[in-house]
Amino acid sequence: MDDHAQDELPGSGPAEGGRTPAAEGQPDPAAPAVPERSRAAVPSPVPASRKPARPRREPVKIAFGPVENGLDYLISVTKHLKGDPTPRDLKYAILHLAAAAEVLLKARLQGEHWSLVFEKPETATRESFDNADFKSCGSIEALDRLQRLAQLDVGKKGSTKDDLQRLIKWRNALQHYGLTTYTDGKESKTLYAPAVEKLAANLLHFLLTFVRDELWQSKPPGSRQYLRLHEEMREVSRGLSDIKMYITVRWSNLRAELEPLKDKTVQCPTCQEFALLCNGKAECRFCGMSEETGERVADEYVDLVQEYISLSDPRRVIHPCPECAEYSLVADVEFASERRAEYFCFTCGQESEPANLGSCDVCGISVEIKDGLSLCPDCLEARLSRF
């Protein structure tokens, strides 16, 4: 065997770099000397720690029901018309008000029958409707169909239809080529801010009334959808008190109606206007806020109108009414006439004098003392049931 063959035997040749590895357990003479202390201090490699993987967040979903979508547009309108709106604010007020009207009118029309929102109902198919793959009717046609087919008395009085047609002209101009002037018949007109604000005030009132009467009350009372829509309507109503033109327009229409009722009208907790009437149901004639129970109105009146901060203030205490027995009797309530009632019920609208109020002999709640009898309705009924 020659020398080259011997070098190629496993374990007998030189290692990589030409050095022969040291025998097992013996130091390599070619390696640099390492002191014992340094050799012992060399740490063994530690695998790098890995951070726990973060759970992947689900993408945000965009989901708005028809009525919720329309009310969201109305909330945007109130924000853009607040105070002294700029031209940009007015542009978005036009666009969003037109969108709100179209969505809300079609929502009610769809409730009559889903095929009625098609431009041509005779071509409607359920598959196209479910996939939102169809051409729908416009706002004016939706209003007409609600009047003709659903027999609703909406948009027949006043200038609602004319206002809606004018709004659509402005919206179309903005979306397709910009709005500097618009054509009204054969005449070209320039659009000014007061015209937009006045038209918006009229349509805001119409749409809020429409939602309350035709869409909101059709939901099961107390359901999640009922409560959510109610809160959104209240948010729209709160925004109305910041719109200068809305205040002017609404009071020009309400003043004659509410003048004889000034001694029965109280301040609304939602819009802060003296336009709230309570007679079995609390309803504000200015913003349209309405409540099924006077108890909630009483709570909000104390918190938002009277603003009694101290919990120990006796005026914060809401009493049961001697007339209707509901917990909606509030002390020191002011009317639009500037007269003050010592106790006023936000359910039945009755006033009570402190001289007639006392405590129930059984349970201790506030009651009206009649003929020396001091029993609340519940305790009186319980006592009579024994006989």
Side-chain angles (χ1 to χ4, degrees):
M1 183 179 295
D2 58 22
D3 293 338
H4 292 288
Q6 186 178 1
D7 289 341
E8 293 175 1
L9 290 174
S12 60
E16 184 178 0
R19 288 190 292 107
T20 304
E24 186 176 357
Q26 299 297 324
D28 185 356
V34 179
E36 290 295 328
R37 182 177 301 174
S38 300
R39 191 177 296 168
V42 176
S44 59
V46 178
S49 61
R50 297 182 61 186
K51 294 182 179 179
R54 293 183 178 180
R56 294 183 62 184
R57 292 196 301 177
E58 185 179 358
V60 176
K61 295 180 180 179
I62 303 174
F64 291 92
V67 183
E68 181 186 5
N69 192 25
L71 286 172
D72 192 51
Y73 279 127
L74 289 184
I75 292 170
S76 175
V77 172
T78 62
K79 291 179 179 178
H80 284 296
L81 293 178
K82 180 179 179 180
D84 298 309
T86 65
R88 184 176 183 275
D89 288 325
L90 294 172
K91 177 185 78 169
Y92 282 107
I94 291 171
L95 294 175
H96 293 175
L97 185 58
E102 185 172 353
V103 168
L104 293 171
L105 290 172
K106 290 180 184 178
R108 177 61 182 86
L109 193 60
Q110 179 183 329
E112 200 69 19
H113 194 273
W114 57 267
S115 67
L116 294 178
V117 297
F118 281 67
E119 183 183 40
K120 297 180 179 179
E122 65 272 15
T123 65
T125 65
R126 186 70 202 196
E127 181 181 4
S128 297
F129 177 79
D130 291 338
N131 294 329
D133 184 19
F134 63 94
K135 187 174 182 180
S136 63
C137 64
S139 300
I140 298 299
E141 181 60 28
L143 185 65
D144 288 340
R145 290 180 185 181
L146 286 172
Q147 295 171 353
R148 290 186 294 106
L149 305 178
Q151 297 184 343
L152 299 184
D153 186 18
V154 292
K156 293 183 178 180
K157 300 177 181 178
S159 62
T160 299
K161 189 171 183 178
D162 292 340
D163 287 340
L164 190 56
Q165 288 175 326
R166 192 174 298 112
L167 176 68
I168 292 170
K169 285 184 179 180
W170 299 346
R171 188 273 312 273
N172 290 343
L174 279 170
Q175 289 195 157
H176 297 300
Y177 52 83
L179 178 61
T180 53
T181 61
Y182 70 98
T183 302
D184 191 359
K186 295 182 179 180
E187 183 181 1
S188 294
K189 293 185 177 181
T190 301
L191 184 60
Y192 293 99
V196 177
E197 294 176 83
K198 183 176 181 180
L199 179 141
N202 290 336
L203 288 178
L204 276 170
H205 175 66
F206 164 73
L207 289 173
L208 263 180
T209 304
F210 179 78
V211 172
R212 185 186 67 236
D213 295 344
E214 301 296 338
L215 295 169
W216 172 55
Q217 292 185 355
S218 65
K219 308 300 178 186
S223 66
R224 182 180 301 177
Q225 193 174 19
Y226 178 94
L227 297 174
R228 184 175 67 250
L229 293 181
H230 191 202
E231 286 306 312
E232 289 173 348
M233 289 172 62
R234 290 174 66 84
E235 187 172 352
V236 177
S237 297
R238 282 192 289 267
L240 299 177
S241 59
D242 294 324
I243 304 175
K244 294 179 181 179
M245 184 61 75
Y246 188 90
I247 295 174
T248 301
V249 171
R250 285 299 298 143
W251 274 116
S252 67
N253 296 328
L254 282 175
R255 192 165 286 110
E257 175 188 345
L258 292 181
E259 183 66 27
L261 303 174
K262 290 177 66 174
D263 212 34
K264 298 181 180 179
T265 308
V266 298
Q267 194 171 0
C268 172
T270 300
C271 66
Q272 302 291 308
E273 298 289 329
F274 277 92
L276 180 67
L277 291 171
C278 303
N279 188 13
K281 180 180 180 180
E283 182 178 355
C284 178
R285 299 293 175 86
F286 179 86
C287 69
M289 187 280 294
S290 62
E291 292 284 356
E292 296 299 325
T293 67
E295 294 183 9
R296 180 168 179 174
V297 186
D299 286 334
E300 293 182 344
Y301 185 87
V302 170
D303 290 336
L304 303 177
V305 176
Q306 294 179 330
E307 296 182 334
Y308 294 137
I309 299 175
S310 173
L311 295 176
S312 61
D313 194 318
R315 292 174 295 181
R316 282 194 64 97
V317 179
I318 299 175
H319 306 274
C321 175
E323 293 292 331
C324 65
E326 298 292 335
Y327 277 83
S328 51
L329 189 70
V330 177
D332 192 26
V333 174
E334 183 181 4
F335 296 98
S337 62
E338 299 185 357
R339 183 179 68 84
R340 307 187 83 91
E342 298 197 57
Y343 287 92
F344 176 77
C345 177
F346 281 84
T347 298
C348 64
Q350 297 297 314
E351 298 180 44
S352 299
E353 297 295 333
N356 297 331
L357 289 179
S359 298
C360 175
D361 292 335
V362 178
C363 65
I365 66 173
S366 299
V367 294
E368 185 176 14
I369 301 175
K370 295 181 179 179
D371 300 325
L373 185 64
S374 184
L375 289 174
C376 71
D378 290 340
C379 293
L380 178 61
E381 182 179 355
R383 178 163 295 187
L384 292 176
S385 64
R386 298 176 185 174
F387 299 99

